[in-house]
Amino acid sequence: MEHSSLDILHVDGKLRLKFFGELTLYNLTSYQKTVDSINFSRETDVIIDFMELEFLDSAASIFIYNLEKKLLSDGIQVEILCKNEDILEIIHLVKNQKQISTKIAHSAKRGILEKLGEHTYQNYLGFLSFMAFMGELFSNKICYIISFKNIRYKEIAFEINESAVKAFGIVALTSFLIGLVVAYQSAYQLKIYGANIFIVDMLGISVLRELSPLITAIVIAGRSGSAFTAQIGAMKITQELDAMRTMGFDPYKFLVIPKIIALMITMPILIFISDIMAVIGGIVVANIDLGITVDLFLDRFSEVVAAKHFFIGIAKGPFFAFLIATIGIYRGLMVKDDTQSIGFNTTKSVVESIFAVIICDAVFSIALTNLGI
Amino acid sequence: MKNIIEVRDVKTIFDERIVHNGLNLTVKEGEIYGLLGPSGCGKTTLLREMVMLQKINSGSIKVLDYELNHIKNEEAQQLRQKWGVLFQSGALFSSLKLKENIALPLVEYTNLSKAMINEIVEYKISIVGLKSEDANLYPSQISGGMKKKAALARSLAMDPKLLFLDEPTSGLDPISAREFDALILKLRDILGLTIVMVSHDLQSIYDTLDSVAIIDNKKIVYEGSLGNIKSVKNEFIQTFFGKYNE
């Protein structure tokens, strides 16, 4: 290896490329540069001299093959001098293989219009498949309505525990902090006008009506929605869903609908917990920062905050739950046979379900305000 | 003998690629029937079509006298209880223990008592050669060979007449693979099963199969017994069977 080198000589009007030592993947690039810098246009005969070469690997013989081909096409005579059987064999092997191998086609570059068209079509197909999913979902839901026998209580109970009961802690903590922060920021503003007591009105309505349902939905989308996608996606990859189908267990009845129902049942409860915790957060700030006692806060609360705000907040729960669960499950069913698509679909599931929840909330907001509720 | 499966003029197209173009084959009762062919020829696809996991583009498939193109929902449910499917990687439900996996069809489809189901599960576990203490393990805790055996036990839970096996011996060491072959032969004799399998394992093909269908170039190039297969002029058959036992 230490004496590998290339000599370029002119002997008898012929260009002689004399290789020493080894010619392999590791030193090929420098040789390639040297050879490329040679001006072959004045030559008529080139001798590639491997007499002193000890080892040639397949990458290097491809290089030699290409060089020979290029020189021949320029009308230059090429002669390879070699006595080493191994080297001759590998040159021969590469030559044979190269003659039958075809170039790997590069995928053609596509124009913006074509890409846009494909993208639109893909989205259209995605929309169709979502509609197909919804159709299947409702036709299966009807089974539940027809007969109580079809309801899978065990699965529903399991899902209630998995996706909701275990989320109580995180929902409670998040809501408490949100209540604290909102109250703290508004306390600062209210103090300026000496309108301390109005913190109750502000906090009560905003938390019960909007903040609690939204915060709960976002936490659940991030926690349970993504879990649905990952679980169903993984089951798809391991063929568990196929196995279920061939055994006649419809995955919709066994996996999909119990999850949706479980979440729809528990979401209002979670929102209720979130309400309590956020108001407690508010009470703490009102007490410390604004000097409003707990009694005063609660008196004012029952006076100014109408019960309808609470009920509206709770009523949003099942709708949000339906959106989160269906999107999470749909994304899980869209997972292809590779692990990367689990990550892709889980991300999409969380983003899409939060987006859908916010849209739904906006619709509620506008509709209810216009109805005067 | 009765025809268990009849495949007629089946055509399958993925996007723009034609996978099957006019396939015909017949599986008779009590046979161990092999689907063979070069990789990518659509063996597994055909198997998936037979078990209603995939739709065909044209033609017809008849399984146990049910026409799959026009099958009603309830009929499909009945049919699914009459067959067992063993997937390549087992496809055991990862959230359930082995015994729960095997008991699942029994729990769902029958009103047997818990004790009775346990008995049946124990029997199925022993028939496939697993130990009873394995029954409480989860699929993630057992080896590939055991997974296949457990999956076989699950597919046998409802005493099906028809068993589909997708590469039953792939990924097994040679000893387990031969054991598995012997097991399949034994089960066929004891339970009178009809078995359709996709396989690449030459030894297992020669040991177990009664008849084969070779799929190549989107069509069946040979259907029949292994005895005179070498006389067929086909590149795949010549390379695959040519050098064996010479």
Side-chain angles (χ1 to χ4, degrees):
Chain A
M1 194 71 184
E2 71 266 21
H3 55 274
S4 296
S5 62
L6 166 62
D7 280 359
I8 301 167
L9 316 156
H10 272 96
V11 182
D12 306 337
K14 294 176 178 178
L15 184 73
R16 186 184 279 261
L17 304 174
K18 195 169 172 63
F19 292 88
F20 295 91
E22 297 182 346
L23 180 54
T24 62
L25 285 172
Y26 304 102
N27 54 18
L28 185 60
T29 315
S30 62
Y31 287 143
Q32 202 162 11
K33 273 187 196 138
T34 320
V35 171
D36 283 346
S37 67
I38 301 171
N39 185 1
F40 286 107
S41 59
R42 282 177 291 129
E43 310 297 333
T44 53
D45 284 285
V46 172
I47 296 170
I48 299 172
D49 186 348
F50 285 156
M51 299 300 275
E52 304 289 333
L53 192 73
E54 284 157 15
F55 179 72
L56 182 78
D57 71 1
S58 60
S61 32
I62 290 171
F63 163 65
I64 294 297
Y65 171 79
N66 286 341
L67 180 65
E68 191 186 350
K69 210 168 131 186
K70 185 182 146 244
L71 293 178
L72 285 174
S73 70
D74 290 348
I76 299 166
Q77 292 295 319
V78 182
E79 192 183 343
I80 294 177
L81 289 179
C82 181
K83 282 230 172 77
N84 189 327
E85 285 294 321
D86 293 343
I87 293 179
L88 282 174
E89 196 168 321
I90 193 159
I91 291 175
H92 187 65
L93 192 72
V94 165
K95 198 176 266 179
N96 282 347
Q97 203 57 44
K98 267 294 190 185
Q99 273 156 3
I100 56 168
S101 71
T102 48
K103 282 254 183 287
I104 299 166
H106 289 283
S107 45
K109 276 234 169 83
R110 293 171 310 160
I112 290 176
L113 204 62
E114 199 176 342
K115 278 185 197 161
L116 184 73
E118 191 183 316
H119 209 73
T120 315
Y121 185 63
Q122 290 297 342
N123 280 336
Y124 170 68
L125 287 185
F127 175 74
L128 281 191
S129 80
F130 187 68
M131 284 297 128
F133 168 76
M134 291 302 250
E136 192 131 8
L137 195 66
F138 280 105
S139 71
N140 276 291
K141 261 204 165 146
I142 287 170
C143 274
Y144 266 51
I145 297 163
I146 290 171
S147 162
F148 285 113
K149 198 180 84 224
N150 290 334
I151 300 180
R152 306 201 61 86
Y153 298 102
K154 220 178 96 186
E155 274 80 6
I156 293 177
F158 177 80
E159 290 300 337
I160 286 179
N161 184 39
E162 271 309 298
S163 52
V165 176
K166 288 184 180 171
F168 277 177
I170 186 71
V171 168
L173 181 64
T174 319
S175 308
F176 177 73
L177 292 175
I178 289 288
L180 211 69
V181 169
V182 170
Y184 184 74
Q185 288 300 328
S186 31
Y188 182 76
Q189 304 293 330
L190 290 170
K191 260 195 284 190
I192 300 172
Y193 301 101
N196 292 11
I197 194 67
F198 285 104
I199 190 147
V200 182
D201 308 41
M202 223 204 86
L203 198 71
I205 294 171
S206 64
V207 161
L208 295 190
R209 199 172 164 128
E210 295 291 340
L211 283 178
S212 274
L214 266 185
I215 294 301
T216 314
I218 288 168
V219 169
I220 291 298
R223 189 192 168 283
S224 307
S226 60
F228 289 168
T229 311
Q231 189 208 344
I232 290 183
M235 285 184 81
K236 196 166 175 193
I237 286 180
T238 55
Q239 287 191 304
E240 283 174 52
L241 289 187
D242 285 347
M244 287 182 83
R245 285 201 184 99
T246 56
M247 291 162 83
F249 303 150
D250 191 345
Y252 280 87
K253 290 197 186 77
F254 277 71
L255 289 173
V256 175
I257 293 185
K259 284 183 163 60
I260 295 177
I261 292 192
L263 213 55
M264 284 174 83
I265 292 173
T266 43
M267 197 67 154
I269 304 172
L270 284 168
I271 292 175
F272 182 51
I273 288 171
S274 167
D275 285 342
I276 298 171
M277 294 308 290
V279 171
I280 291 177
I283 291 177
V284 170
V285 170
N287 207 344
I288 295 170
D289 206 20
L290 298 173
I292 298 172
T293 62
V294 178
D295 284 342
L296 185 60
F297 190 99
L298 291 179
D299 274 348
R300 173 87 186 160
F301 197 90
S302 56
E303 225 171 89
V304 294
V305 182
K308 68 173 184 187
H309 299 304
F310 168 74
F311 287 120
I312 286 172
I314 296 287
K316 286 175 183 174
F319 292 91
F320 290 177
F322 179 78
L323 288 173
I324 293 166
T326 39
I327 290 172
I329 290 162
Y330 170 72
R331 279 287 151 204
L333 292 171
M334 286 298 106
V335 167
K336 303 264 163 35
D337 285 344
D338 59 300
T339 41
Q340 206 182 2
S341 75
I342 290 194
F344 172 79
N345 277 297
T346 312
T347 314
K348 275 224 151 186
S349 127
V350 175
V351 172
E352 283 174 359
S353 51
I354 291 177
F355 180 67
V357 161
I358 289 172
I359 296 257
C360 179
D361 192 56
V363 170
F364 262 110
S365 224
I366 294 166
L368 292 176
T369 310
N370 281 338
L371 287 170
I373 304 172
Chain B
M1 261 185 288
K2 228 178 89 185
N3 290 345
I4 297 285
I5 300 178
E6 287 175 22
V7 174
R8 295 286 169 261
D9 295 323
V10 162
K11 200 168 181 181
T12 312
I13 302 167
F14 283 154
D15 294 331
E16 278 149 31
R17 202 165 56 87
I18 298 173
V19 182
H20 303 137
N21 195 359
L23 284 195
N24 285 293
L25 56 86
T26 313
V27 181
K28 294 202 165 60
E29 193 170 8
E31 265 187 333
I32 301 186
Y33 192 96
L35 292 173
L36 274 63
S39 54
C41 74
K43 303 177 291 284
T44 303
T45 308
L46 183 61
L47 198 75
R48 288 173 63 87
E49 286 166 351
M50 288 180 187
V51 296
M52 296 191 285
L53 284 175
Q54 215 159 316
K55 285 230 161 68
I56 51 177
N57 293 71
S58 72
S60 74
I61 298 180
K62 212 172 182 184
V63 180
L64 294 167
D65 293 331
Y66 290 100
E67 171 64 60
L68 299 191
N69 284 345
H70 310 293
I71 196 163
K72 291 198 191 77
N73 252 336
E74 303 90 68
E75 288 174 343
Q77 279 306 86
Q78 285 166 13
L79 178 57
R80 286 189 179 113
Q81 294 175 35
K82 287 183 188 165
W83 71 38
V85 184
L86 173 65
F87 287 89
Q88 203 170 342
S89 56
L92 292 165
F93 301 126
S94 42
S95 57
L96 302 176
K97 291 174 184 164
L98 286 197
K99 62 172 183 188
E100 292 166 336
N101 259 294
I102 299 166
L104 190 65
L106 297 166
V107 174
E108 291 301 328
Y109 287 130
T110 66
N111 46 12
L112 295 169
S113 67
K114 265 195 181 156
M116 190 61 220
I117 287 178
N118 263 335
E119 296 261 334
I120 297 174
V121 169
E122 278 164 20
Y123 169 70
K124 301 286 172 192
I125 282 179
S126 74
I127 207 175
V128 298
L130 286 173
K131 295 188 203 78
S132 52
E133 59 263 32
D134 300 334
N136 284 317
L137 297 175
Y138 283 95
S140 56
Q141 297 170 313
I142 62 176
S143 71
M146 284 164 78
K147 265 184 208 164
K148 290 229 157 145
K149 284 178 181 171
L152 185 64
R154 184 181 70 185
S155 57
L156 291 173
M158 296 289 286
D159 283 337
K161 292 196 183 83
L162 178 59
L163 197 59
F164 293 96
L165 310 174
D166 190 0
E167 306 215 8
T169 53
S170 78
L172 296 185
D173 64 276
I175 298 168
S176 313
R178 296 297 78 79
E179 278 176 6
F180 206 90
D181 290 342
L183 177 64
I184 287 169
L185 282 173
K186 189 178 91 182
L187 289 174
R188 193 263 306 259
D189 294 338
I190 304 173
L191 306 172
L193 291 169
T194 306
I195 298 172
V196 177
M197 69 173 176
V198 170
S199 184
H200 282 303
D201 184 342
L202 256 182
Q203 185 71 48
S204 143
I205 288 166
Y206 271 101
D207 285 353
T208 56
L209 296 188
D210 298 320
S211 30
V212 290
I214 316 273
I215 307 176
D216 197 10
N217 289 327
K218 301 157 196 157
K219 286 194 186 294
I220 301 278
V221 290
Y222 176 81
E223 188 186 11
S225 73
L226 280 166
N228 40 13
I229 193 162
K230 282 183 200 167
S231 61
V232 182
K233 286 209 166 46
N234 173 279
E235 204 186 329
F236 171 75
I237 295 177
Q238 289 305 329
T239 44
F240 196 75
F241 291 100
K243 290 188 182 108
Y244 193 73
N245 275 356
E246 263 174 17

